[in-house]
Amino acid sequence: MTTPHDAALRVRGLTKHYVVHEKEPGLLGSLKSFVNRRSRTVEAVRGVNLDLARGEMVGFLGPNGAGKTTTLKMLSGLLHPTSGEVDVLGFEPRRRHADFLRSITLVMGQKQQLLWDLPALDSFLVNQAIYEIDDADFKRTMREYDEVLDLSGILRKQVRKLSLGERMKCELAAALLHRPRVLFLDEPTIGLDVNMQVRIREFVREYNRREDATVILTSHYMADVTALCERIVVIDAGRVVFDGDLGALVERSSPYKTVKLQLASPASTERLARHGEVVSHDGLGVELNMPRAEVGERAARLLTDLDVADLTVEDPPIETVIGRLFGAERAPEHA
Amino acid sequence: MRAAASLGRKFRAIFSAQLANMVAYRAELIIWMLSGTLSFIMMAIWISQARAAGGEIGGFTEARFASYFTGTWVTGQLLVVWVAWELDVQIRLGNLSPKLLRPLDPLWEHLSNHLGDRLVRAPFIALLACLPLLLVPGAGFTTDPRVYAAYLLVVALGLLIRFLIEYCIGLLCFWTESATSFSEISWLVYAALGGVFAPLQLYPEALRRVARLTPFPYMVNLPATMLAGDAAWGDVGRGVLVLLGWAAALGTLRLVMWRLGLRRYGAVGA
């Protein structure tokens, strides 16, 4: 399998099946399981196809258990696929070639690589040796990361005494010390406060710009995805159900826009309903849904018909869009 | 040559970090050392038996028992290995994942962790070993520096073999729910056939023959006998060769199990 020069990642028909053992709860369940252990095969990833260009940032979305993390683990070489082909920078990840491992990183928001009882700087020095980074490069990288992440005050503190945000900054810097060309970021901002989320996002954006790095990001915080990624891949029940730009996703899953009104004088719900679907009507505050294609025309008519003090037109929140997409994809299976 | 130099640099960096880690845990380490007093209990039992039997059993006097069991304690302290427990946790909980992402076999981190422990442990071992030797009249260790040099070689090989055995046991976690129960059995066999409960010279001939089919007598009984000043150079040379053979075989087994196991790794939770 070959990779074109501008392609960073190519995936074809990727699947992963797990065998899981099942046991009923309680003592009786334990005894039954001891005598007759039952197992079943879970199809975590089912025929995923994906292409990423060098420098591209992609948001990988899906509900819990959709197969996002399993896919990232296969792309980074942690898991061996059941079937399918994976090519990352010309390498087959499962072989864990040293040059491949030097070219990628996987940051897991819920796992740590830093040495718990030592200052974070010790982990950086270990990574410097493992990735064979010379002193000049090491110092330059640390200086750059310090500018964005403000690390200097925390590097000499024991990792276990760092706050979650401080630790995550160190985790991210340690994982990127060797300047990887492909970043797999699995929930990198989980549990962080809003300021720290913004700081991490800025760092990732800056890294992508400087290094022309390819980034796949999973996050439950839609703000991470909307701030960083133009392209979205949505995975559900192990299958890719959408692959395209964020705008197209909103258009496809949400054929209407939300018009928020602040009225100067009251209007009845019946009168408002002539302009669109009334989502809420609380005194002078009104929220209407209007078909996407007719928003301009309807809004103009509404302004002449009603006494409007303020009007804004918005796309529905991305969380709603994604939720609706999952609902739509699952409906035929349940039918 | 360049690869070896590169590995040396990486190992040095990991070793420094692991040594610092062990220094941070020095108090726990001493308590852990004090809990490993089986050799001293066996020493007390055998000395009392020798007294009851008129001063000696099978050529072992009270002083010789004291020297031998102090030797097994020192050797046992130098051969302590917990890698199976670490691998068990890392594989089951997915903590192995961050280590697999680095271009260095996680084995080196585990090994440096154990060697760091030995460096921190060494002064306390020397201090505690003096006590029984001072308390039992006539007991003592050899004063021949050549024996100590050979002892270090034998113990280094013994540690490598114990480490590899426990590593393979830990890797069983790729196939089983937990591997630590295998580790308990492994310790029992190591202690019984190594001569931790009694000098091998006192074992029935049939059991001695079985023991010699394993590496354990050369890992405990031989070095303890060396410290007591009772080992012949011929036995030492034979022991080193046997240990080298076992190290090669177990090293290969570890590599095969590692490669097969990674195919089954579930990277749970991470």
Side-chain angles (χ1 to χ4, degrees), chain A residues 15-229:
Chain A
T15 65
K16 181 67 187 178
H17 298 172
Y18 288 108
V19 175
V20 292
H21 300 294
E22 289 184 331
K23 183 186 94 63
E24 288 165 28
L27 182 63
L28 195 62
S30 298
L31 290 172
K32 274 187 192 168
S33 170
F34 187 76
V35 178
N36 181 23
R37 199 181 192 196
R38 279 185 307 168
S39 59
R40 74 182 168 94
T41 301
V42 174
E43 296 178 25
V45 176
R46 302 192 278 182
V48 165
N49 297 321
L50 199 60
D51 288 280
L52 260 76
R54 184 178 298 174
E56 197 172 8
M57 282 210 277
V58 172
F60 214 40
L61 300 179
N64 289 332
K68 308 183 295 288
T69 304
T70 303
T71 304
L72 287 194
K73 285 176 192 170
M74 287 192 280
L75 299 184
S76 58
L78 286 179
L79 285 183
H80 286 224
T82 304
S83 64
E85 294 177 13
V86 184
D87 183 314
V88 178
L89 300 170
F91 295 98
E92 201 179 343
R94 71 183 178 88
R95 298 199 180 279
R96 299 180 57 250
H97 191 283
D99 288 339
F100 166 72
L101 295 174
R102 273 192 278 269
S103 308
I104 64 138
T105 198
L106 168 63
V107 176
M108 296 167 279
Q110 304 192 59
K111 287 283 168 191
Q112 61 157 44
Q113 64 152 315
L114 300 173
L115 295 160
W116 189 244
D117 294 302
L118 300 180
L121 189 56
D122 279 322
S123 296
F124 282 76
L125 292 171
V126 167
N127 276 10
Q128 183 196 0
I130 288 178
Y131 289 102
E132 300 177 88
I133 304 165
D134 66 44
D135 286 343
D137 279 347
F138 178 74
K139 281 180 188 156
R140 197 177 65 241
T141 305
M142 290 302 289
R143 219 173 19 246
E144 275 177 28
Y145 292 179
D146 181 37
E147 278 170 22
V148 189
L149 291 173
D150 194 16
L151 297 171
S152 50
I154 55 177
L155 284 177
R156 285 178 169 76
K157 271 166 78 175
Q158 261 184 318
V159 170
R160 64 183 155 109
K161 291 189 177 151
L162 296 176
S163 69
L164 178 63
E166 289 174 334
R167 188 157 60 75
M168 204 54 224
K169 287 197 293 184
C170 291
E171 287 284 353
L172 198 57
L176 300 181
L177 198 62
H178 58 293
R179 296 182 183 269
R181 290 154 61 199
V182 177
L183 277 57
F184 302 108
L185 306 179
D186 190 17
E187 305 278 0
T189 57
I190 195 160
L192 303 182
D193 64 37
V194 175
N195 288 338
M196 196 57 74
Q197 286 177 28
V198 171
R199 180 73 73 86
I200 299 282
R201 264 178 234 143
E202 279 170 6
F203 178 72
V204 172
R205 186 186 293 117
E206 182 63 16
Y207 185 88
N208 164 262
R209 192 188 62 76
R210 280 191 193 184
E211 306 288 332
D212 195 24
T214 307
V215 181
I216 299 189
L217 167 77
T218 80
S219 179
H220 276 100
Y221 301 122
M222 293 302 171
D224 284 350
V225 177
T226 50
L228 292 173
C229 311

Side-chain angles (χ1 to χ4, degrees), chain B residues 45-62 64-65 199 201-202:
Chain B
I45 291 170
W46 281 103
I47 285 178
S48 69
Q49 290 296 310
R51 268 186 204 149
E56 67 166 71
I57 297 173
F60 274 82
T61 61
E62 289 178 35
R64 205 172 157 205
F65 272 127
Q201 293 84 333
L202 301 183

Side-chain angles (χ1 to χ4, degrees), chain B residues 200-217:
Chain B
L200 277 188
Q201 293 84 333
L202 301 183
Y203 279 33
E205 179 52 31
L207 195 55
R208 272 213 300 269
R209 268 205 299 273
V210 171
R212 281 196 211 102
L213 296 174
T214 72
F216 305 122

